Amino acid sequence: MATTPAPPQAPPKPTWDPRRPQPPFPWLRPTIRIRLTLLYGGMFLIAGILLLSIIYLLAAQAITNGNAPLFKIVSFQELKVSSDNCPAITNQVPLADFNDAISRCADSQRHAALDNLLSRSLLALLGLAVIAFAFGYAMAGRVLSPLGRITRTARQVAGSDLSRRIELDGPDDELKELADTFDEMLERLERAFTAQQRFVGNASHELRTPLAINRTLLEVHLSDPDAPVELQQLGKTLLATNERSEQLVEGLLLLARSDNQIVERKPVDLAEVAGQAIDQVHAEAEAKGVTVRGERRPAVVQGNGVLLERIALNLVQNAVRYNVAENGWVEVTTEVLHGQAVLTVSNTGPVVPAYEIDNLFEPFRRLRTERTGSDKGVGLGLSIVRSVARAHGGHIVATPREGGGLVMRVTLPV
């Protein structure tokens, strides 16, 4: 950002939310376990239907082949017949009708037997299908349990705990091969991150020491009252350049450290952090005629207090430095909204086009200014804010404010 005249405000574009949207019904998510269960149960159901069809056709064929009457009544003198299932069979009818009634009754009983066989078989198939789906669900869970172990380890690794390993036991199958490959990848990542941390530590010492020596030498020469005016002016310029270099080194080291997740977390109140940041920039705000206001409600998160204070300090400093010349203000608020802690810093200032928002979070990028030469910072403030927010599992969203300025909103999980 800069104080140069800005072009007309562009229409705001939708802000980007790095959080992955959740489905409206997460319990309906078609997981691999559900799909395997449906596959196992569906295969059993299809096999059961085919088996039932074959049995029914064979039974119907057997009954049809045995449709010929086994006997025939030729005389029923002194014969008394009665039937509850076939009331038409009685010795009160002629002999020819009597034999026909027996045949019709036998056919009816055969069809009833087939219907009974079909209905009972369908009920048995339904019960077995339920058992098959339950058994398939259990078996799918057992088969996929190594994948769950791999997922849990990956989540722990996402928290920068690279010492975790799966160490999967069992047969040398595809899942064990996947787990071993994942363990080898973690081993290489751990070595790489260890080397990076060692490099950051060494760079911190090697870069800070000569800058501190230069600053001490310059301060000693500037403290000499007999030094010429030209030499004092040169010393002040070199001292300002050295201070800028120190800020750049500190910003780079902090950016490198904050790119990873925070392992050790403690309760931190964003309201207290914001208050400390405001106290640090109070003198600068008064010098520029900027009023700092806003209601700060308790919003406790789990994280690193120093890094969270850096978030608030960078945002408030930017809001004060990139402001209007007269009657400027900065509003700092903290609250808990929808189960998440929110730190909002808004300010008056120059109009910021919406298409320039993403560029502000890139290192060494400013709005319509060169990469170096600015007295307002080293161009790492918002990059550090975004990195620290991501390390805490949160995100930052910037939107242009109507009339000029920005609204910075940092959202962190509580």
Side-chain angles (χ1 to χ4, degrees):
M1 293 182 292
T3 57
T4 57
Q9 183 179 5
K13 66 178 181 179
T15 56
W16 174 71
D17 190 347
R19 293 179 297 174
R20 184 178 181 179
Q22 297 294 330
F25 302 102
W27 53 274
L28 290 178
R29 187 165 59 100
T31 61
I32 297 180
R33 186 174 185 180
I34 295 296
R35 283 182 283 179
L36 286 178
T37 301
L38 295 177
L39 178 62
Y40 297 155
M43 292 177 62
F44 174 82
L45 193 59
I46 293 174
I49 292 175
L50 291 176
L51 180 61
L52 176 60
S53 301
I54 293 173
I55 293 176
Y56 182 82
L57 292 176
L58 291 177
Q61 183 180 8
I63 291 177
T64 302
N65 292 337
N67 196 22
L70 298 177
F71 60 89
K72 184 178 182 181
I73 304 298
V74 297
S75 176
F76 49 65
Q77 293 179 357
E78 302 297 331
L79 179 65
K80 295 182 179 180
V81 180
S82 63
S83 175
D84 296 334
N85 295 327
C86 300
I89 299 178
T90 174
N91 56 354
Q92 301 297 326
V93 298
L95 182 60
D97 295 339
F98 182 81
N99 287 326
D100 292 339
I102 290 178
S103 298
R104 289 193 300 271
C105 181
D107 291 338
S108 176
Q109 292 300 314
R110 292 188 187 98
H111 290 297
L114 286 176
D115 294 340
N116 188 37
L117 173 65
L118 181 60
S119 60
R120 290 178 180 272
S121 299
L122 289 176
L123 290 176
L125 179 63
L126 180 61
L128 290 176
V130 173
I131 296 175
F133 276 103
F135 183 75
Y137 186 79
M139 289 302 298
R142 184 175 180 85
V143 171
L144 295 175
S145 58
L147 288 180
R149 186 172 175 179
I150 294 174
T151 301
R152 289 191 296 271
T153 304
R155 288 175 178 172
Q156 292 169 349
V157 170
S160 295
D161 189 4
L162 294 176
S163 62
R164 297 284 183 176
R165 297 294 182 272
I166 300 174
E167 298 179 351
L168 185 64
D169 299 327
D172 190 12
D173 54 6
E174 292 83 358
L175 290 178
K176 190 175 188 305
E177 182 179 358
L178 174 63
D180 293 342
T181 304
F182 192 77
D183 285 341
E184 294 176 1
M185 181 188 67
L186 291 179
E187 185 70 25
R188 292 194 296 269
L189 286 176
E190 185 179 16
R191 289 197 300 266
F193 276 103
T194 301
Q196 181 192 24
Q197 291 175 356
R198 190 181 301 114
F199 170 78
V200 170
N202 294 335
S204 173
H205 175 73
E206 296 296 332
L207 292 176
R208 286 171 175 168
T209 301
L211 291 175
I213 294 175
N214 290 339
R215 184 180 69 253
T216 302
L217 293 176
L218 290 172
E219 289 175 350
V220 169
H221 284 289
L222 289 176
S223 63
D224 185 6
D226 298 331
V229 178
E230 295 82 1
L231 185 60
Q232 289 185 356
Q233 184 64 34
L234 177 61
K236 292 180 180 179
T237 303
L238 292 176
L239 188 62
T241 303
N242 191 84
E243 182 180 0
R244 175 180 173 80
S245 299
E246 288 181 341
Q247 293 178 358
L248 177 61
V249 170
E250 291 293 336
L252 288 173
L253 294 176
L254 180 60
L255 183 61
R257 287 195 300 265
S258 62
D259 275 337
N260 298 326
Q261 294 283 337
I262 308 301
V263 178
E264 296 182 359
R265 298 172 179 264
K266 296 181 180 180
V268 180
D269 190 355
L270 289 184
E272 180 180 356
V273 167
Q276 293 176 356
I278 292 174
D279 292 339
Q280 294 184 50
V281 300
H282 180 71
E284 183 178 0
E286 283 190 345
K288 292 181 174 294
V290 176
T291 303
V292 181
R293 66 190 188 192
E295 181 181 1
R296 293 175 292 279
R297 299 177 181 176
V300 180
V301 300
Q302 298 292 327
N304 184 288
V306 176
L307 294 180
L308 291 176
E309 183 179 347
R310 174 62 64 175
I311 287 181
L313 180 60
N314 286 1
L315 291 180
V316 176
Q317 279 183 342
N318 280 353
V320 170
R321 293 173 181 176
Y322 301 99
N323 216 303
V324 295
E326 297 180 357
N327 300 325
W329 54 262
V330 175
E331 187 174 47
V332 183
T333 62
T334 59
E335 59 182 340
V336 176
L337 189 63
H338 304 301
Q340 292 183 316
V342 180
L343 167 65
T344 305
V345 179
S346 55
N347 68 304
T348 53
V351 176
V352 181
Y355 57 82
E356 291 280 1
I357 294 295
D358 292 338
N359 295 332
L360 298 178
F361 292 95
E362 297 299 326
F364 307 109
R365 297 294 296 272
R366 301 182 185 87
L367 184 62
R368 296 184 301 278
T369 60
E370 64 278 3
R371 193 174 74 93
T372 59
S374 173
D375 59 347
K376 296 182 179 180
V378 296
L380 290 174
L382 294 182
S383 300
I384 293 174
V385 170
R386 183 176 62 177
S387 179
V388 174
R390 287 179 176 176
H392 285 80
H395 65 281
I396 178 172
V397 176
T399 55
R401 178 183 165 275
E402 184 178 359
L406 290 172
V407 177
M408 297 285 187
R409 182 172 289 104
V410 180
T411 303
L412 301 173
V414 295

